[in-house]
Structures are given as structure tokens and as C-alpha cells.
Amino acid sequence: MKFFIDTADLGEIRDLAATGLVDGVTTNPSLVAKTGRKFLDVVKEICAVVAGPVSAEVTATDHATMLKEGRKLAKLAKNVTVKVPLTPDGLKTCRALATEGTMVNVTLCFSAAQAILAAKAGASFISPFVGRLDDVASDGMALIRDICLIYRQYPTFKTEVLVASIRHPMHVVEAARVGAHVSTMPPNVLKQMYNHPLTDKGLAAFLADWQKTGQSILDA
Ligand code: E4P
């Protein structure tokens, strides 16, 4: 499973990229707004830090303007993935950009029907939002299972399932269990994935016993 980081915060991206575990980045207009910085500068800088796909979202809602925005974003760096909303205009734009060889991430997916449309429109990624579905008492992970099952029936679909709106490590584990291609997670979720109290306890015990030996590996 690939790990993307869902943030536009360059500091967080640099720190987490250094772990070697980050395969890409997703941003959205809300995340960019939080930075208070110029969108295009932020995208260029992220693309220089992370070699994998970096999603940058269009903000127009009509096809002609979305296409212009998408083309402009795609020129910023080779690894830009243009993000479009799952609307009729968004999917038309997806098809046009995909035909030109640009990677497209179709966002704001909340149903299997929408995911089928995105695959037919040539999306590189479909982003179903699990957390936002859970928030309204729907089963976000059931949607991921459904989409993975459907896509597997059609080897001609090249669209990767990019699980979005992740809120906690178990969303990532469940997504991996059903074979989703990518999880995009806020930085805190990736950090939480390391944690287990038995790891901390076990390490403390090993180090205490080691200290009693008076040895040092580097001095040996
Ligand atoms: C995905 O690409 C979106 O940016 C993101 O996952 C949305 O998450 P949220 O529901 O936590 O805002």
C-alpha cells in the first residue's frame, strides 16, 4: 500500500518525507488556505520534496476553466496530479487531462456509482472520503470494500483506490486489508501508526538490562 500525506504544510511534509515512508501528497483548497501561502508556490515546493504524485485541486466548477486550471497546475512539475471534483464537469475534465497524459485524482467520492464513473473517465486515482461518511453514520470502509471489489472485476480499469478523509490508524489497516492501493492520511495519523505501549515497555526493559552489562556495541 502506498502512503500519501494529506497536508499542505511543508514543514510536516519535509519531516515525514525523511522517514522514507511517504509516496505522495494530497492537498485540497482548505489545506492550502490553512498555510496562508500562494497555492502555486506551495505545490512547486512540495513537488521538489516528494518525488511521487502530488495532488493539486482545481477550484473552477465549469469544464473549460477547470481544464485551463488543470493544464496550468500540470505544468508546475512532472509529479503534479490534478485533482477534480466528482461532478459532470469534473469528469469531463478528467477525461481531457488523462488523454493529454496528466494524472488525475477524482475527489469527493461518496458512492460506488461515482467511483465507476471516475474509472471510466480515466482517473489515475479515485478518492472516497471514509471519515466524512463515518461522520454521517454511514460506513466509510464498506464503500472502500465495494469499490475495490468492483474495480477488480475490470482489469481494464487502471484507477487506484486512494482512501481519503482518514481519521485514525485503523482506517489505514482496514484499507490495507481490502487491498486499497493508497491511503492518504493527516501527518498525526502516520505518527500514531508507530505507537504501541508494549513497544515502549519492551524497549525500556531491554535498555535497562543492556545497561547492566556495561557494554557498548560501537566500542566493542
Ligand atoms: C483528500 O484528498 C482530502 O484532502 C482529505 O482526505 C479530506 O479529509 P477531511 O475529511 O479530513 O477533510
Side-chain angles (χ1 to χ4, degrees):
M1 162 175 273
K2 284 176 262 189
F3 279 6
F4 289 3
I5 299 298
D6 197 31
T7 183
D9 180 327
L10 252 306
E12 290 274 24
I13 292 168
R14 282 199 190 94
D15 281 356
L16 290 172
T19 65
L21 298 177
V22 175
D23 302 300
V25 173
T26 51
T27 67
N28 63 41
S30 306
L31 293 171
V32 173
K34 266 197 218 166
T35 69
R37 300 191 53 214
K38 291 201 169 154
F39 179 35
L40 301 195
D41 292 348
V42 172
V43 173
K44 271 192 264 183
E45 286 176 40
I46 298 174
C47 287
V49 174
V50 174
V54 174
S55 290
E57 190 160 341
V58 299
T59 53
T61 53
D62 67 285
H63 167 64
T65 321
M66 273 186 192
L67 189 55
K68 276 190 210 154
E69 288 184 352
R71 284 175 176 154
K72 184 166 180 174
L73 292 171
K75 278 196 195 122
L76 294 176
K78 274 191 200 146
N79 50 334
V80 165
T81 300
V82 176
K83 210 171 177 190
V84 300
L86 209 153
T87 60
D89 284 67
L91 291 189
K92 199 169 159 187
T93 307
C94 173
R95 166 56 67 206
L97 290 170
T99 303
E100 292 171 8
T102 296
M103 287 188 291
V104 182
N105 175 0
V106 176
T107 190
L108 291 167
C109 170
F110 294 95
S111 77
Q114 291 179 319
I116 293 169
L117 291 177
K120 285 191 66 71
S124 299
F125 301 101
I126 180 68
S127 290
F129 279 35
V130 291
R132 292 192 196 188
L133 279 169
D134 289 353
D135 288 346
V136 295
S138 278
D139 187 347
M141 270 305 149
L143 175 60
I144 302 302
R145 282 194 292 276
D146 218 9
I147 298 172
C148 287
L149 175 70
I150 292 166
Y151 280 10
R152 274 197 293 268
Q153 313 304 315
Y154 298 93
T156 51
F157 283 176
K158 298 299 176 212
T159 308
E160 295 193 16
V161 180
L162 192 168
V163 182
S165 188
I166 281 180
R167 304 268 198 262
H168 49 70
M170 283 314 290
H171 273 151
V172 181
V173 172
E174 274 303 310
R177 190 168 282 141
V178 300
H181 306 84
V182 189
S183 280
T184 189
M185 61 197 101
N188 67 309
V189 173
L190 179 50
K191 291 175 193 166
Q192 284 167 348
M193 288 180 72
Y194 286 93
N195 298 339
H196 198 289
L198 291 180
T199 304
D200 299 339
K201 192 179 166 194
L203 183 58
F206 285 155
L207 294 182
D209 289 340
W210 178 247
Q211 212 170 11
K212 288 179 210 155
T213 71
Q215 298 182 59
S216 152
I217 294 173
L218 293 181
D219 292 341

